Amino acid sequence: MTTVENGGVACNYRLRRRSYDGFRELGLLEKPQILRILRNVSMISLLRNGLYTRCPSPARNTCIFRIKALTVSLKALKLAGVRGIAVEVWWGIVERFSPVAYDWSLYEQLFQLISQLGLKLHVDLSFHSNRHTSSGGSGDVSLPLWILEIGEQNKDIYYRDQNGFSNDDYLTLGVDQLPLFCGRTALQCYEDFMFSFVNKFESFFGSVIEEISVGLGPSGELRYPAHPFGDGRWKFPGIGEFQCYDKYMMEDLRMAASQEGKPQWGDKGPQNAGYYNSLPSGVPFFEGGEDGFLSDYGRFFLEWYSGRLIHHADVILAKAANILKQYQGNKRTTVTLVAKIGGIYWSYHTVSHPAELTAGYYNTACRDGYDPVALMLSRHGAAMHISCFEMRDSETSPACLCSPEGLLEQIRTVSKKRIINVIGRNNNERFDKAGLWQIYANCDHPRSEFVTSFTFFRMNEKIFRVENWTNFVPFIKKMSREL
């Protein structure tokens, strides 16, 4: 038993962590072609409304009713042809009260139910909070309470914007290597959680659990929280703001600037990059002038900002691949490692792509920002999970300079170049024939040979309304016709 003081918070825990020797790159070229089918239906909303909260004895009958309702819903989806269910496994639920004290009981019940119904699982290991992105109420999931206690004493464990505002949706990558969490670094917290999950549920691997997505940022996506939802700072289609102002990232920036021989570049981020709700025009940093994104300073900053994000994912996915490698040699237990990226499709029809730059993707008309991400994923045999599959350029406002179709075309190109698989997802709930047909068209696209599965976001009562179910069932059948 050890006690470590962090920001005035006493942490008591017994640390048990298993080490591994290196990791193996997965041979995707030798992987058999996977059928392009509707793989998962995200059940996040329904899970929030019932199963993940333990019910006290007086509410037992209510819990039984919700489990029965869930069972009926899953049976209906199974009969319709859905292959599996996507489930978020929350850090803030499993390790909620104290470090290294994991409670998997909720997920044991849920996974058993899904297994008994003959469905497969896509598991999202979620190291973020949904308090600012959910609709509110009892379904909100925070970071672990012991993490929040540390954050009350040291708010720099979270990302900050240029005005010092932060939120507790995800730990800043600046603390990845700092032992601020009861003697552990953030990376060690993630690794311990992943190892505990694998140790607990290894009997499900391959037979039930087919894909494991590892959370890398807000909403589980590899990005900075440049476009915060729900707290009033940002509204679509604002370009967002750079998120590098916590003291740990600023220390890293100063070090990088000093190594570049330009210590003055390390004092702060771009001061001419506008605000959350600015539009691309009229913002000097994104117009390419002096001290703009094409200047020496602009290139330095954007390479550092995006590079730190890619390095963050690289280290976490290396740990995940290392833990999972023992299950990759047997076809019966093979599990696909997955990383989500953000579908930042607005301001895409500009030279600078400012909304992507603030999110951490150094993607412009002059530079492919997704190729370095795809190259990193290929090293770990990881698939790329991206949204926007239901969207058309023609459905967006011309004033927003959007191109979800252009973004997906770029992803197709890099996935083919780096030989990585792609998992699709819709960005908005769509049950109309046009939206569902667009999903199918993107999955069955002549250049979508690397799209191996699709997750329909999200499972809730809307799916089962007659007017939606009438469109949804034929869509499922069409997506799974090759089975």
Side-chain angles (χ1 to χ4, degrees):
M1 182 74 70
T2 60
T3 302
V4 182
E5 296 289 339
N6 292 293
V9 178
C11 300
N12 298 290
Y13 70 98
R14 182 176 287 107
L15 181 61
R16 294 188 294 271
R17 179 161 59 249
R18 181 174 172 179
S19 61
Y20 301 88
D21 299 322
F23 68 95
R24 181 184 65 180
E25 294 185 9
L26 306 180
L28 292 181
L29 283 173
E30 301 174 0
K31 183 175 179 181
Q33 181 64 34
I34 300 175
L35 295 177
R36 292 194 291 272
I37 57 176
L38 179 66
R39 188 71 151 242
N40 306 301
V41 175
S42 171
M43 61 171 297
I44 299 167
S45 263
L46 197 52
L47 178 61
R48 286 175 185 158
N49 291 336
L51 280 180
Y52 77 64
T53 302
R54 286 178 175 268
C55 296
S57 296
R60 181 174 179 272
N61 291 335
T62 301
C63 284
I64 291 174
F65 172 78
R66 288 177 174 174
I67 292 173
K68 287 181 177 178
L70 175 61
T71 302
V72 170
S73 299
L74 293 179
K75 285 181 177 179
L77 291 169
K78 171 69 174 177
L79 289 172
V82 170
R83 181 179 178 86
I85 304 297
V87 176
E88 286 182 324
V89 175
W90 295 95
W91 186 25
I93 290 177
V94 176
E95 197 179 354
R96 184 167 185 77
F97 297 106
S98 58
V100 203
Y102 305 108
D103 181 1
W104 297 105
S105 57
L106 165 68
Y107 294 104
E108 286 184 279
Q109 298 174 49
L110 180 59
F111 290 4
Q112 285 288 354
L113 173 61
I114 291 170
S115 176
Q116 290 167 5
L117 293 174
L119 290 162
K120 304 299 184 181
L121 267 169
H122 174 122
V123 174
D124 290 330
L125 300 182
S126 301
F127 298 112
H128 63 283
S129 162
N130 75 340
R131 293 202 305 180
H132 296 105
T133 57
S134 71
S135 58
S138 59
D140 293 356
V141 181
S142 70
L143 295 183
L145 298 182
W146 61 275
I147 291 285
L148 297 182
E149 290 177 2
I150 295 172
E152 289 177 359
Q153 303 297 324
N154 179 7
K155 293 188 182 300
D156 284 289
I157 67 172
Y158 309 122
Y159 288 114
R160 285 180 179 266
D161 63 21
Q162 60 187 336
N163 292 313
F165 292 112
S166 65
N167 61 53
D168 52 12
D169 284 344
Y170 188 79
L171 298 177
T172 169
L173 59 79
V175 299
D176 278 357
Q177 302 285 358
L178 299 177
L180 302 175
F181 306 100
C182 303
R184 293 186 295 168
T185 67
L187 291 177
Q188 287 173 329
C189 291
Y190 306 146
E191 183 179 22
D192 289 340
F193 186 91
M194 290 189 288
F195 172 68
S196 179
F197 172 82
V198 169
N199 188 54
K200 186 68 178 180
F201 295 109
E202 61 181 343
S203 63
F204 288 89
F205 281 23
S207 60
V208 180
I209 298 174
E210 294 187 326
E211 299 170 347
I212 296 180
S213 176
V214 179
L216 300 170
S219 298
E221 298 172 344
L222 176 60
R223 61 176 175 83
Y224 293 101
H227 312 96
F229 296 93
D231 65 5
R233 283 182 289 169
W234 174 83
K235 292 182 180 180
F236 180 85
I239 61 175
E241 291 187 15
F242 292 110
Q243 306 287 313
C244 59
Y245 290 91
D246 62 85
K247 66 181 180 182
Y248 304 111
M249 287 200 69
M250 288 305 299
E251 288 173 2
D252 192 274
L253 177 59
R254 282 191 286 271
M255 185 181 302
S258 179
Q259 293 173 349
E260 189 73 13
K262 298 284 187 178
Q264 67 275 19
W265 288 353
D267 294 338
K268 51 189 173 296
Q271 298 299 288
N272 57 349
Y275 304 96
Y276 285 111
N277 296 310
S278 297
L279 298 178
S281 61
V283 179
F285 185 77
F286 301 114
E287 292 193 327
E290 185 179 355
D291 295 328
F293 78 101
L294 292 176
S295 67
D296 290 342
Y297 165 73
R299 291 191 181 94
F300 159 77
F301 176 80
L302 293 171
E303 287 174 0
W304 170 81
Y305 188 70
S306 64
R308 294 296 292 122
L309 191 67
I310 293 173
H311 178 73
H312 170 71
D314 196 14
V315 176
I316 294 176
L317 292 176
K319 293 179 181 298
N322 194 24
I323 293 171
L324 292 174
K325 70 177 182 179
Q326 60 184 303
Y327 304 99
Q328 303 298 332
N330 188 325
K331 290 182 179 180
R332 293 186 300 105
T333 59
T334 297
V335 177
T336 300
L337 181 61
V338 180
K340 291 182 179 179
I341 68 169
I344 312 297
Y345 59 87
W346 57 101
S347 300
Y348 192 89
H349 280 311
T350 64
V351 174
S352 59
H353 293 225
E356 291 165 275
L357 296 185
T358 58
Y361 305 120
Y362 190 2
N363 190 54
T364 70
C366 311
R367 187 182 190 276
D368 188 339
Y370 297 102
D371 184 57
V373 176
L375 177 61
M376 178 270 297
L377 296 181
S378 71
R379 290 199 294 271
H380 308 298
M384 180 187 293
H385 195 172
I386 187 168
S387 62
C388 302
F389 269 57
E390 86 288 7
M391 302 183 73
R392 289 186 176 91
D393 290 2
S394 60
E395 295 175 332
T396 64
S397 169
C400 300
L401 302 170
C402 299
S403 185
E405 294 181 82
L407 175 60
L408 288 184
E409 181 61 25
Q410 188 172 355
I411 296 301
R412 290 188 192 102
T413 300
V414 300
S415 67
K416 183 175 183 179
K417 177 181 178 181
R418 299 303 178 184
I419 317 175
I420 62 170
N421 290 330
V422 174
I423 296 173
R425 185 176 85 254
N426 48 313
N427 194 60
N428 304 296
E429 290 181 1
R430 293 283 296 269
F431 300 102
D432 60 288
K433 291 181 179 180
L436 296 176
W437 172 255
Q438 183 68 5
I439 291 172
Y440 173 76
N442 276 319
C443 290
D444 199 48
H445 191 281
R447 295 187 61 213
S448 292
E449 63 267 35
F450 291 101
V451 178
T452 57
S453 63
F454 180 84
T455 301
F456 189 88
F457 186 78
R458 66 181 70 220
M459 174 181 167
N460 55 33
E461 72 284 353
K462 294 179 183 178
I463 290 180
F464 302 102
R465 294 175 185 171
V466 174
E467 64 274 20
N468 295 333
W469 190 249
T470 300
N471 292 334
F472 193 62
V473 172
F475 163 71
I476 296 173
K477 299 296 184 184
K478 193 171 184 63
M479 291 283 280
S480 59
R481 73 182 189 276
E482 297 178 56
L483 282 174

